[in-house]
Amino acid sequence: MTDVIAEKNKSYDISNTYEPKYPEENEANENTKVDITHEKYIIWRRNTPFLYSSLLKHKLDWPSLTVEFIGVENSFKSKTGYFTNKILLGTHTSNQDSEYVYIGETKSPLYSAKEDVLQYENYTGFINNKKKKRGHPLPSFEIKAKLLHPGEVIRATHLPNNSFFIVTQTYNGNILLFDYTKHPSFPSDIATCYPQMILKGHGSEGSGLCWNINKIYDNNIGDSKNTKNNIKDNENDTENTNDENFGEINTSNLLLASCASDGSICLWDINKGTKSNEVPRTYGINKVGKGADYNIKIYENTPTLSPLCTWINKNEETTLNDIFFHSKFNNILGVCDDNGYMSIYDIRKKNFFTRPEISYKDHNQPMNTFSFDNFSEYIFASGYSDGLISIWDMRCNKESLLKIDYHTQSINRIKFCLMQSGIFGTCSDDGTACIWDMSRNSENYEQIKKLEDDIYNNPKKIPKQLLFVHGGHIGSVYDMSWANTTTLLAATVGVDNSLQVWNMNEQFMFQ
């Protein structure tokens, strides 16, 4: 988080920042584009004291494709005067270094409203030594633990009711389960990975992982109502890879759902598998004389788990991009694909995967991501590869309620806020992360006129639902996560190797 006092009259050197690469055919305009990017970044840095309540920008060794806050609430340490949040990250080194799953911690100082008059004395002798050593409290980020990982970490998520359990998606489709209480904080053996369990069911990589429990609502939620009485039949042929062993799924169990680019959906019950509780003694011990080998192997005696069911649409090959359980109803599962569909399944039904209960589509571009509103039974938002955002009511699948066209490139992640209904965030390849408010769709909010000095150089009109634009990244923004139910604190990661934890100024909520 940026120190507001120190930022006001500070000069900026961005010579070491990331410079995006452009195609060779645009070499004539390359210098112009880079200068515009740097100019936007400088303007953003100079305005940060007025845009944010808090801001932390941390330079990572390697870019991360995923970010997630661990735990529901932040903790306050009275001795140090800091609020702390744990963050889950992963590395993407392109086989140039060892891959890790990071568990980090952010510290945010609690600023007191009382002013210390001693800080304004001209003679420094009036200030005691404790005040000098302590100085002004600054936010920070520190990596607390590393888990060795085979290949890049495409997606990582933790179990909401047990933050020590972490699942990750790998490049070959396998899903790894870690209990990081069984591992040393910083392993020295970088040749072998020791997960607690391997979940095998996908044939290729994927980016969709979700649990059937929510951060806000309890696990024991009543059965949901049908989203629509008239269900349209889907004539597509389907395949169940383990149909002979498949029965009705007990939705009261802890379930993990995943999807992959080969068009497969898997459901897992991790309680049915055998977890590896013992880590070999060689793990965490220095091995002298052994060179670094970035082709990390998985421990051969690691137990494996097969899915409860696997669904593959063999009639039409399509890539599945994201998957989520409904935020209120644990038996409702949503999946989006490259054909532009978001399909709803009811996992209480036997052979539910044969056809979706209902599908939503009104745009002919791949749907990259979607998110259910945490406070509404029917509202969800979807993001497309051309930058379009659609707001849907699950009771009507013919047409979306609202379309927002602001992002100029593909949307990588869309997430509804955990604090307030109707507020959601998006991150895109155009280098921005935006916060939106659906309640600003009323006639009381006039269309915002585009300013001539728009630093983001966006040719599109600014929608009236736009609350805030975070422009701290140079290049694509890969992922976004909300912290908890009490603040609008958010975290983003991008191609510029940076982790940014920020909270927009509250005055934007009341404009």
Side-chain angles (χ1 to χ4, degrees):
M1 299 177 184
T2 305
D3 183 6
V4 175
I5 300 176
E7 281 291 320
K8 289 187 176 180
N9 297 316
K10 187 176 180 181
S11 60
Y12 304 99
D13 181 14
I14 58 174
S15 58
N16 295 327
T17 56
Y18 170 82
E19 295 185 3
K21 303 296 183 182
Y22 296 93
E24 294 181 357
E25 58 268 21
N26 295 332
E27 287 183 356
N29 297 328
E30 183 174 358
N31 293 332
T32 304
K33 291 184 179 181
V34 172
D35 292 339
I36 291 175
T37 303
H38 287 179
E39 182 182 359
K40 292 190 297 183
Y41 182 78
I42 293 174
I43 296 174
W44 171 81
R45 283 291 298 267
R46 289 178 177 174
N47 286 278
T48 50
F50 312 104
L51 298 176
Y52 301 91
S53 299
S54 60
L55 173 64
L56 165 66
K57 183 176 181 181
H58 180 80
K59 195 75 171 181
L60 301 171
D61 294 333
W62 296 98
S64 175
L65 300 178
T66 179
V67 62
E68 185 176 80
F69 281 95
I70 298 178
V72 179
E73 303 296 338
N74 52 10
S75 60
F76 175 68
K77 297 181 179 180
S78 58
K79 293 183 179 180
T80 59
Y82 282 93
F83 283 105
T84 61
N85 293 93
K86 288 186 178 180
I87 293 183
L88 181 63
L89 299 167
T91 60
H92 174 48
T93 68
S94 300
N95 203 27
Q96 300 179 36
D97 201 350
S98 299
E99 306 280 2
Y100 292 96
V101 178
Y102 290 156
I103 296 97
E105 183 182 67
T106 61
K107 293 183 179 179
S108 306
L110 178 63
Y111 295 99
S112 175
K114 297 181 180 179
E115 296 182 353
D116 187 0
V117 294
L118 293 179
Q119 298 290 343
Y120 299 95
E121 292 287 347
N122 293 328
Y123 179 54
T124 57
F126 288 123
I127 304 177
N128 57 33
N129 293 330
K130 292 184 179 180
K131 293 283 184 181
K132 290 181 181 179
K133 293 180 180 179
R134 184 183 303 174
H136 188 71
L138 294 176
S140 62
F141 174 79
E142 182 182 2
I143 296 176
K144 293 294 185 179
K146 291 182 179 181
L147 300 175
L148 198 63
H149 194 269
E152 62 187 27
V153 183
I154 300 176
R155 186 70 64 197
T157 183
H158 74 286
L159 181 60
N161 60 358
N162 188 350
S163 59
F164 297 111
F165 282 88
I166 297 172
V167 290
T168 63
Q169 280 187 323
T170 61
Y171 66 95
N172 58 4
N174 290 338
I175 298 175
L176 305 182
L177 173 66
F178 294 92
D179 180 3
Y180 74 87
T181 60
K182 310 291 184 183
H183 299 260
S185 298
F186 298 95
S188 299
D189 181 6
I190 59 173
T192 308
C193 174
Y194 297 94
Q196 270 55 60
M197 190 186 299
I198 304 175
L199 284 63
K200 293 186 176 182
H202 295 294
S204 62
E205 66 180 27
S207 59
L209 279 176
C210 66
W211 300 93
N212 67 332
I213 55 177
N214 189 265
K215 293 182 179 180
I216 298 179
Y217 302 99
D218 295 333
N219 191 20
N220 297 324
I221 299 178
D223 293 338
S224 66
K225 299 178 181 179
N226 292 332
T227 58
K228 194 172 184 179
N229 294 329
N230 297 327
I231 301 173
K232 296 183 178 180
D233 293 336
N234 188 352
E235 302 297 337
N236 294 337
D237 294 332
T238 57
E239 176 184 5
N240 181 19
T241 57
N242 51 354
D243 189 37
E244 63 275 4
N245 297 325
F246 177 70
E248 294 184 0
I249 296 176
N250 187 359
T251 58
S252 62
N253 292 344
L254 178 62
L255 299 178
L256 174 69
S258 61
C259 64
S261 58
D262 60 356
S264 61
I265 302 173
C266 292
L267 280 181
W268 318 81
D269 187 353
I270 63 172
N271 292 324
K272 291 188 176 182
T274 302
K275 303 178 184 63
S276 176
N277 295 323
E278 295 183 1
V279 177
R281 296 180 180 179
T282 57
Y283 192 58
I285 300 177
N286 289 319
K287 292 187 176 181
V288 182
K290 185 173 182 178
D293 183 9
Y294 304 137
N295 296 322
I296 301 172
K297 299 180 180 179
I298 300 178
Y299 183 55
E300 58 183 4
N301 293 330
T302 303
T304 60
L305 177 66
S306 299
L308 295 176
C309 66
T310 302
W311 172 85
I312 299 177
N313 189 346
K314 64 180 182 181
N315 190 38
E316 182 179 4
E317 294 183 1
T318 181
T319 299
L320 302 181
N321 298 321
D322 214 348
I323 186 169
F324 283 106
F325 282 98
H326 195 278
S327 55
K328 283 193 174 183
F329 308 126
N330 297 338
N331 52 282
I332 300 298
L333 182 66
V335 185
C336 66
D337 57 35
D338 270 356
N339 292 333
Y341 285 97
M342 201 287 278
S343 302
I344 296 293
Y345 297 90
D346 188 350
I347 64 174
R348 294 173 299 178
K349 296 183 178 181
K350 186 176 181 179
N351 298 332
F352 69 90
F353 43 80
T354 55
R355 65 173 182 267
E357 299 292 320
I358 188 172
S359 296
Y360 305 88
K361 179 181 179 180
D362 69 343
H363 193 54
N364 294 324
Q365 292 292 328
M367 186 185 295
N368 292 340
T369 180
F370 73 98
S371 177
F372 292 109
D373 192 341
N374 295 293
F375 298 92
S376 174
E377 299 179 2
Y378 306 109
I379 301 299
F380 73 91
S382 58
Y384 297 88
S385 60
D386 60 350
L388 183 70
I389 302 171
S390 294
I391 309 298
W392 292 85
D393 189 329
M394 294 176 63
R395 295 167 291 187
C396 178
N397 67 332
K398 295 182 179 180
E399 187 179 3
S400 59
L401 298 177
L402 175 66
K403 290 183 179 180
I404 302 174
D405 189 11
Y406 177 74
H407 287 289
T408 57
Q409 296 184 35
S410 176
I411 296 177
N412 295 323
R413 178 64 74 178
I414 186 168
K415 281 283 188 180
F416 268 96
C417 178
L418 301 175
M419 177 182 175
Q420 184 175 337
S421 177
I423 296 179
F424 63 94
T426 58
C427 61
S428 171
D429 284 339
D430 59 12
T432 61
C434 300
I435 297 180
W436 309 85
D437 186 1
M438 292 191 305
S439 64
R440 295 167 65 96
N441 194 40
S442 63
E443 297 179 356
N444 296 330
Y445 294 93
E446 297 181 357
Q447 189 75 17
I448 301 176
K449 295 182 179 180
K450 180 177 174 59
L451 301 178
E452 295 180 357
D453 57 346
D454 182 12
I455 64 173
Y456 301 106
N457 198 25
N458 195 326
K460 301 179 181 180
K461 293 183 179 180
I462 300 179
K464 53 188 175 182
Q465 294 82 11
L466 182 61
L467 271 182
F468 186 78
V469 178
H470 173 65
H473 291 276
I474 301 179
S476 300
V477 185
Y478 290 142
D479 199 6
M480 178 181 185
S481 177
W482 295 99
N484 48 54
T485 59
T486 58
T487 65
L488 291 175
L489 186 68
T492 52
V493 290
V495 71
D496 55 353
N497 293 19
S498 67
L499 163 68
Q500 300 185 16
V501 183
W502 46 276
N503 194 347
M504 70 174 184
N505 198 321
E506 294 181 355
Q507 66 179 355
F508 295 107
M509 294 288 296
F510 306 103
Q511 288 184 349

